[in-house]
Amino acid sequence: MRIQLVLAAVAAVVASSGAARAEVVDVQPNGFEVRHALHLAVPPDKAYAALVDIGRWWSPDHTFSGDSANLSIEPKAGGCFCEALKDGGSVAHMRVVFVAPGKMLRLEGALGPLQTLGVTGHLAFALKPQDGGADLVLTYDVGGYAKDGFAGWATPVDHVLGLQMARLKAYAETGKP
């Protein structure tokens, strides 16, 4: 229930802000695409630096450890978006496949509960200079096998990524998520 209230609040903020656009672009039996676009009031290099500092802005509610400080991104091809677990374990959330500092970060893998399915995803963060700041577009394309299809997955994933983008925007602009 708590997560549903958080998701509803995020959706209301995003809908009322006018600065962000979020949508489930497409849902098919074998996958889906979500997209978020927002403007950051910081230049692309600062936005990129905030993006790769993921342990400072990702919601702890969407980690396995319950602590965002356990998250890291190694911003180089083959690098890991990983999470350290308290018992000495770890989680590889995604693998970095493309890095252009200040412009683009692309990762492959399945986030969160999608790891329990026969799927993979492509997560891209594209930054462009705009109006003294940076326009950020996130796309997440997921495909593969899910026993009951993807209709029930697209909207929750879209909401969680919307929450993360709101936190990234706040962190990039204020230093606090």
Side-chain angles (χ1 to χ4, degrees):
M1 183 65 169
R2 179 174 174 233
I3 192 70
Q4 291 169 330
L5 292 174
V6 169
L7 294 177
V10 168
V13 168
V14 169
S16 66
S17 72
R21 293 182 318 276
E23 66 178 316
V24 174
V25 176
D26 189 29
V27 180
Q28 298 293 322
N30 62 337
F32 64 88
E33 179 181 52
V34 298
R35 181 179 188 275
H36 289 260
L38 63 148
H39 182 76
L40 304 174
V42 297
D45 59 335
K46 187 171 180 184
Y48 179 83
L51 170 63
V52 298
D53 194 11
I54 198 161
R56 304 280 298 211
W57 57 266
W58 194 270
S59 171
D61 293 338
H62 297 284
T63 66
F64 287 99
S65 66
D67 186 352
S68 301
N70 292 327
L71 297 174
S72 63
I73 292 179
E74 186 180 16
K76 66 178 191 174
C80 188
F81 167 17
C82 287
E83 180 175 356
L85 301 177
K86 292 176 177 127
D87 64 0
S90 60
V91 179
H93 292 284
M94 304 187 100
R95 183 174 60 90
V96 177
V97 296
F98 184 89
V99 176
K103 297 175 185 169
M104 175 72 68
L105 179 67
R106 293 184 192 140
L107 304 102
E108 288 181 341
L111 291 170
L114 294 173
Q115 287 187 347
T116 65
L117 306 174
V119 307
T120 193
H122 180 265
L123 179 65
F125 297 90
L127 291 159
K128 275 181 31 179
Q130 184 68 36
D131 298 330
D135 283 347
L136 170 65
V137 176
L138 169 148
T139 55
Y140 189 37
D141 298 301
V142 175
Y145 175 77
K147 184 177 182 179
D148 297 319
F150 288 91
W153 286 100
T155 298
V157 168
D158 181 58
H159 285 300
V160 169
L161 289 175
L163 167 68
Q164 306 311 333
M165 290 302 87
R167 292 176 62 89
L168 172 58
K169 179 177 174 59
Y171 176 64
E173 293 177 350
T174 71
K176 297 176 186 174

